[in-house]
Amino acid sequence: MTARIRKTAPPSSTRSLRVGVVGLGNMGRVHARSILEGRVPGGELTGVCDVDLERTAGFGEAARFVDAEAMFVSGAVDAVVIAVPHPFHASLGISAFRAGLDVLMEKPLAVHKAEAQELIAASKGRVFAVMFNQRTDPCFQKVRDLVQGGELGTIRRFTWTITDWFRTHAYYRSSSWRASWKGEGGGVLINQAVHNMDLLQWIFGMPTKVRAVCGFGKFHPIEVEDEVTALLEYQEGASGVFITTSGEAPGINRLEIAGDHGLLVLDGESLRFRKNEIPAPQFSRTCKTGYDRPPVWEIEIPLPGGRGPQHEGILRNFVNAILRDEPLIAPGPDGLHSLELTNAILMAAVEDRTVDLPISAPHYARLLKKLQSQTS
């Protein structure tokens, strides 16, 4: 079905934005409730859609749909939040754009790079955001400011161990689409750690080469990856190690960044900077002894309490971008970077080789199709 273009009223600082939510699983219901209960100023929930009609009950006076295309052309909504299983993100997003709607896409943007590129191309002229809620976390905002502001000097290395994405067998049994190549397009990388993939490229930029080792069904009876160790190489000579799993407890979230000016460590909500009084390369060149190290300042960097507005923050920003031209926190096209990193890591592990970035989108699409054909 080809959706017809529906004309919408021009943005105004006084009007509300009529929002529909497509997909009422775990996150879709959360987003719909946030809008319905007034936690997203300017947003009005006027449509809900799910293939299971019973799930659409209980959302006030919002129009109920079982067909997303019907919602898109109904005239009931100005914008949509898409929160369906990953393989349907790109196709539904494209349909929504063709219907003249603005779109907030749940993560990931798509399953593979090629379809993400098609989605981005279709978004031209529309407001397009992606649900990277961890960009609202003041801890990560501060790390990004320090790195990109040059406080650490030249970045030499980072190591991110993010193993607190623990999930049980029951979690993977909760929906038939979870943890399969066909239903999800991957495991811990594309579902949970996609947030960290986004933050990684948001802070450090994109690497040029990737090597990886993945455990496929190492901790759970699933066919996709639930453990990842990746080595990232950057054009300027920096290297990064990224470790994640959904099978380790209690787990940790620790980011170490080594630069010429010192070592920055984010551990939970603690941010510490061991700053060299003399940059390491300069000290190495001028020191007359063999074992001395630069003197350091021990700095505990204060952070606001809490993790920021998270999902509701992205929802509010999306509404304000449409109504008031507020800059997007997580523009839709940014989602291509984290997806490409995810695709590259899986390609490197499955094919046991170093992968150059940017990757070949058709090559990964063929690889994913092959994995899907070999599994249930």
Side-chain angles (χ1 to χ4, degrees):
M1 173 181 179
T2 301
R4 59 182 173 83
I5 298 295
R6 180 185 51 77
K7 300 294 184 181
T8 59
S12 163
S13 61
T14 58
R15 78 177 182 95
S16 63
L17 182 74
R18 301 175 304 159
V19 182
V21 176
V22 183
L24 297 170
N26 293 342
M27 290 313 304
R29 297 186 75 83
V30 169
H31 301 327
R33 285 289 168 198
S34 293
I35 300 167
L36 181 65
E37 294 170 10
R39 297 194 295 275
V40 184
E44 179 186 0
L45 187 69
T46 57
V48 288
C49 177
D50 195 278
V51 292
D52 182 350
L53 184 61
E54 291 185 8
R55 285 185 174 184
T56 64
F59 290 97
E61 298 181 1
R64 301 165 62 189
F65 299 87
V66 293
D67 183 335
E69 297 274 2
M71 172 192 276
F72 297 159
V73 300
S74 67
V77 298
D78 305 310
V80 290
V81 179
I82 296 177
V84 297
H86 306 164
F88 303 103
H89 284 195
S91 59
L92 286 181
I94 290 169
S95 292
F97 288 131
R98 288 175 177 168
L101 304 177
D102 299 314
V103 173
L104 171 56
M105 185 69 72
E106 252 298 349
K107 53 78 184 170
L109 196 61
V111 172
H112 59 79
K113 180 180 177 180
E115 64 180 16
Q117 290 173 321
E118 294 176 6
L119 175 61
I120 291 167
S123 72
K124 186 176 181 181
R126 308 306 315 178
V127 175
F128 181 27
V130 61
M131 184 56 82
F132 283 133
N133 49 284
Q134 293 199 21
R135 289 192 183 193
T136 71
D137 188 323
C139 296
F140 296 122
Q141 291 174 347
K142 187 62 176 180
V143 170
R144 184 174 188 261
D145 288 345
L146 291 170
V147 169
Q148 298 202 352
E151 291 296 327
L152 280 82
T154 299
I155 301 300
R156 302 297 182 178
R157 171 192 65 82
F158 69 83
T159 302
W160 199 346
T161 304
I162 169 74
T163 56
D164 58 355
W165 288 120
F166 184 74
R167 297 293 186 269
T168 65
H169 288 17
Y171 168 83
Y172 290 110
R173 291 195 299 264
S174 66
S175 296
S176 59
W177 63 274
R178 291 195 183 279
S180 69
W181 294 115
K182 289 181 180 178
E184 197 165 13
V188 64
L189 277 175
I190 203 165
N191 194 331
Q192 289 83 30
V194 66
H195 288 291
N196 309 101
M197 293 283 96
D198 173 64
L199 292 170
L200 188 154
Q201 66 81 28
W202 191 54
I203 295 168
F204 302 106
M206 290 290 282
T208 56
K209 294 180 182 294
V210 172
R211 285 285 298 181
V213 176
C214 294
F216 296 93
K218 182 173 181 178
F219 295 98
H220 310 89
I222 59 177
E223 63 191 35
V224 293
E225 85 286 353
D226 55 5
E227 182 184 65
V228 176
T229 301
L231 174 63
L232 314 176
E233 298 180 40
Y234 285 78
Q235 185 71 46
E236 299 78 11
S239 63
V241 176
F242 182 81
I243 300 168
T244 192
T245 176
S246 59
E248 181 180 314
I252 193 172
N253 188 345
R254 179 183 173 90
L255 174 59
E256 292 183 4
I257 308 169
D260 288 348
H261 294 178
L263 179 69
L264 185 70
V265 179
L266 177 63
D267 193 345
E269 294 185 24
S270 169
L271 184 59
R272 302 187 309 279
F273 187 15
R274 301 189 67 201
K275 185 172 183 178
N276 295 326
E277 292 186 19
I278 303 170
Q282 179 184 341
F283 186 87
S284 182
R285 288 192 305 269
T286 59
C287 183
K288 303 304 183 184
T289 63
Y291 295 95
D292 284 345
R293 300 180 185 184
V296 299
W297 299 331
E298 298 279 354
I299 306 167
E300 185 78 24
I301 299 175
L303 294 168
R307 288 298 194 180
Q310 295 290 319
H311 298 92
E312 288 180 8
I314 297 295
L315 284 167
R316 293 176 202 141
N317 173 244
F318 175 63
V319 170
N320 286 335
I322 297 168
L323 297 181
R324 300 174 184 89
D325 294 324
E326 181 177 288
L328 286 170
I329 294 170
D334 280 14
L336 181 63
H337 306 312
S338 57
L339 181 63
E340 181 156 23
L341 268 177
T342 296
N343 289 175
I345 291 171
L346 288 173
M347 188 189 302
V350 172
E351 298 182 346
D352 190 22
R353 66 181 179 91
T354 298
V355 170
D356 294 322
L357 283 89
I359 66 169
S360 163
H363 180 90
Y364 185 78
R366 291 192 296 270
L367 175 62
L368 180 59
K369 186 174 182 179
K370 180 180 178 181
L371 291 170
Q372 293 171 336
S373 69
Q374 292 174 346
T375 53
S376 57

